[in-house]
Amino acid sequence: MNFLIKTIGCQMNICESEKLGFALLAYGASKASSFVAADIIILNACCVRSQAEQKAFSYLGRLEEFKLEKSNVKIVVVGCMAERLGTKLKQRFKSVDLIIGAKETDSIALKIVNLYGNNTLKRKKINVVFDVVKYVIVMRGCNNYCSYCIVPFVRGNEKSFSARDIINECILAAENGTKEIILLGQNVNSYLYKNVNFTLLIKKIVSIKNIERVRFMTNHPKDLSDDLINVMATESKVCSHIHLPMQSASNKILKAMNRKYTYEHYLGLISKLRVAIPDINITTDIIVGFPGETEKDFEETLKAIKNIRFGWLYVFKYSHRPRTKIAEMIDDVTLVEKKRRHSIILKESNKISIEIASSMIGSLQTVLVEKVDKGIIEARTESGRKVFINGGNEKYLGLQFNVCIKEAKINSLFGCIV
Ligand code: 5AD
Ligand code: SF4
């Protein structure tokens, strides 16, 4: 049985696809190198914005055509989109054989293997390949019910995983060459398992032998505690980068979004972070064109972006999602206006990003080498910026170096080892 997994979504989806892949390998299945070589094609797709969903639909359309040529190929849809649409997907795409929603977390691989009709397959131990950087999911779901967001509906309520299991996963990775752990969750900073909160979890992870760096994402401003800021400031292994979605700087819009903080509170967090960790890189998410967002509300967000100067940001055009609270309201900002606001924010944030990156030219940065490809080293600064360095080989993989930054672009830096 040859399988192929296509992921359309966030880092969490990528991580879950990887886990599913390992589970299928353990059942004796093999990875297919292409569409054509696959017996089973699995699509793991996001539904947070309709754009991602459209991408998934067009992929399913292509699979439908492919199945006309290869009728015995099985098509499986898993994840958030499968949860949202369930059997409706089958009505639209007749070729889909199995739908497994994001709330189903047990024995997904077995259900897929059974579909192939080969339930004689036995689970075996496989050698998992570990990378220098390992993503570890610490919690799933979300209780926040931001009024625009479908995540709590498709992923369910927050569930934190056992601290012991997480630590064991990190120890195993560290024993196999992983140097950096990235803790993942819809809302990582509200992690709580028995008496272990997120700060305590981080403290346990930084004490693991051979783990040199720890990062985490994504954070809700209302759960960013002084304790967490303190641990970022005092534990040298915790990287000086935080992704802290602001969404908007208009208090009216923040209220309508049910974000449970004001812009002033958010600003207070930014200054606390910058006092405690002077070189911190703060990044964010912004939504433009939320229902009721006037030009004035938008201007407030733009002004905040100019004031705060995020390292980089992701800006999204508001997308109406069924079942969410705000979907009861009219999506009243036109697409043309959303596009205008989107491009203004993007232009401003690109300008700031390049200014910040350029200010690093001539500085020394400690980087961790994540990849070496055709003599080019791909490394990352503590602040999360990618750095390319010429003239490396495999021996550099997983090592930390001091690099002098020579050139800066929006998304990457170029440097040489000193
Ligand atoms: N429309 C636009 N953007 C959204 N996001 C979540 N839901 C929506 C939506 N309905 C954005 C938020 C969130 C990021 C992951 O996706 O900015 O932080
Ligand atoms: Fe969605 Fe809000 Fe939860 Fe983030 S915190 S996943 S935006 S409901």
Side-chain angles (χ1 to χ4, degrees):
M1 184 185 112
N2 294 322
F3 69 89
L4 185 139
I5 307 180
K6 166 82 178 171
T7 311
I8 299 175
C10 64
Q11 198 53 54
M12 191 96 164
N13 295 125
I14 295 170
C15 202
E16 285 168 347
S17 290
E18 191 187 84
K19 278 202 161 139
L20 176 59
F22 286 137
L24 288 169
L25 291 173
Y27 274 110
S30 319
K31 254 188 198 164
S33 53
S34 69
F35 230 59
V36 187
D39 305 307
I40 293 193
I41 301 175
I42 303 156
L43 171 64
N44 182 3
C46 164
C47 66
V48 167
R49 288 172 298 275
S50 68
Q51 222 176 1
E53 228 172 47
Q54 292 309 325
K55 226 167 125 182
F57 290 153
S58 77
Y59 188 78
L60 280 176
R62 278 197 284 144
L63 287 185
E64 196 118 287
E65 279 172 29
F66 176 60
K67 202 166 175 171
L68 291 176
E69 289 163 33
K70 187 176 175 182
S71 61
N72 60 349
V73 70
K74 302 278 188 220
I75 298 173
V76 181
V77 187
V78 302
C80 299
M81 191 182 79
E83 182 69 45
R84 179 174 107 71
L85 294 169
T87 49
K88 279 192 207 140
L89 263 177
K90 253 190 176 148
Q91 289 161 14
R92 180 157 171 197
F93 299 97
K94 303 264 179 304
S95 56
V96 171
D97 296 279
L98 181 64
I99 295 164
I100 308 173
K103 282 186 190 162
E104 280 183 66
T105 47
D106 296 332
S107 50
I108 299 180
L110 182 63
K111 282 175 194 145
I112 295 174
V113 167
N114 281 346
L115 178 75
Y116 197 64
N118 193 350
N119 43 20
T120 56
L121 286 173
K122 288 257 179 328
R123 274 179 82 86
K124 60 174 188 191
K125 242 185 133 41
I126 53 153
N127 285 329
V128 175
V129 183
F130 288 92
D131 292 323
V132 172
V133 179
K134 166 123 177 88
Y135 289 89
V136 175
I137 299 177
V138 301
M139 52 99 70
R140 244 184 249 274
C142 184
N143 296 343
N144 289 326
Y145 291 90
C146 299
S147 67
Y148 52 82
C149 184
I150 200 167
V151 167
F153 301 97
V154 290
R155 289 204 166 248
N157 277 346
E158 264 175 41
K159 183 177 179 293
S160 295
F161 296 142
S162 138
R164 181 170 297 166
D165 288 352
I166 293 167
I167 289 156
N168 285 342
E169 194 175 339
C170 297
I171 292 174
L172 184 68
E175 285 169 353
N176 286 279
T178 291
K179 303 285 183 198
E180 177 175 322
I181 298 285
I182 305 184
L183 303 171
L184 283 183
Q186 241 78 43
N187 202 5
V188 278
N189 50 352
S190 69
Y191 174 88
L192 185 64
Y193 184 83
K194 296 192 175 155
N195 56 352
V196 182
N197 66 11
F198 191 54
T199 313
L200 192 52
L201 183 71
I202 289 187
K203 283 186 182 158
K204 286 176 189 273
I205 293 172
V206 292
S207 67
I208 296 173
K209 197 171 155 223
N210 292 337
I211 291 298
E212 295 175 11
R213 283 182 169 185
V214 177
R215 299 179 194 279
F216 49 90
M217 61 182 181
T218 190
N219 298 276
H220 194 299
K222 80 170 169 43
D223 298 313
L224 179 59
S225 65
D226 289 350
D227 263 7
L228 182 56
I229 297 177
N230 193 34
V231 94
M232 289 185 79
T234 52
E235 289 288 352
S236 59
K237 290 183 184 178
V238 180
C239 290
S240 52
H241 173 207
I242 190 163
H243 190 69
L244 196 63
M246 177 174 82
Q247 313 297 2
S248 168
S250 151
N251 284 335
K252 180 191 96 186
I253 296 295
L254 285 172
K255 190 152 196 284
M257 285 178 165
N258 191 30
R259 289 290 288 176
K260 304 183 184 94
Y261 55 85
T262 60
Y263 174 56
E264 291 69 29
H265 178 77
Y266 187 87
L267 266 188
L269 293 177
I270 300 284
S271 61
K272 264 192 204 172
L273 281 163
R274 286 185 169 154
V275 167
I277 312 136
D279 60 345
I280 194 166
N281 177 21
I282 304 172
T283 58
T284 202
D285 290 346
I286 300 290
I287 298 177
V288 291
F290 188 81
E293 187 189 67
T294 59
E295 186 61 25
K296 182 173 162 282
D297 298 317
F298 170 70
E299 288 292 335
E300 285 177 28
T301 302
L302 183 61
K303 200 168 135 204
I305 286 166
K306 289 179 184 170
N307 273 340
I308 297 173
R309 296 178 67 80
F310 295 102
W312 59 81
L313 60 77
Y314 301 99
V315 53
F316 306 104
K317 296 186 272 297
Y318 169 74
S319 156
H320 234 36
R321 301 280 69 204
R323 297 175 71 190
T324 60
K325 190 85 186 78
I326 206 72
E328 292 163 10
M329 281 189 46
I330 304 167
D331 185 4
D332 59 355
V333 181
T334 63
L335 186 58
V336 172
E337 184 55 23
K338 280 179 189 163
K339 282 186 180 160
R340 188 187 71 91
R341 293 180 190 178
H342 184 272
S343 85
I344 292 174
I345 300 275
L346 201 59
K347 202 167 148 209
E348 186 59 39
S349 85
N350 282 347
K351 188 179 135 240
I352 296 168
S353 293
I354 189 80
E355 280 169 10
I356 297 174
S358 301
S359 73
M360 294 166 83
I361 294 177
S363 72
L364 279 188
Q365 301 285 328
T366 308
V367 300
L368 173 70
V369 177
E370 296 181 356
K371 204 172 149 187
V372 183
D373 190 20
K374 297 188 190 98
I376 297 185
I377 295 175
E378 283 184 41
R380 207 172 282 276
T381 64
E382 240 205 86
S383 61
R385 286 175 195 276
K386 209 168 222 187
V387 183
F388 292 97
I389 306 142
N390 261 330
N393 56 44
E394 303 298 318
K395 280 193 294 194
Y396 289 80
L397 203 60
L399 299 182
Q400 293 208 49
F401 287 101
N402 278 335
V403 164
C404 179
I405 304 300
K406 299 285 182 198
E407 202 190 325
K409 293 196 174 158
I410 294 176
N411 298 319
S412 48
L413 300 165
F414 298 82
C416 51
I417 296 173
V418 287

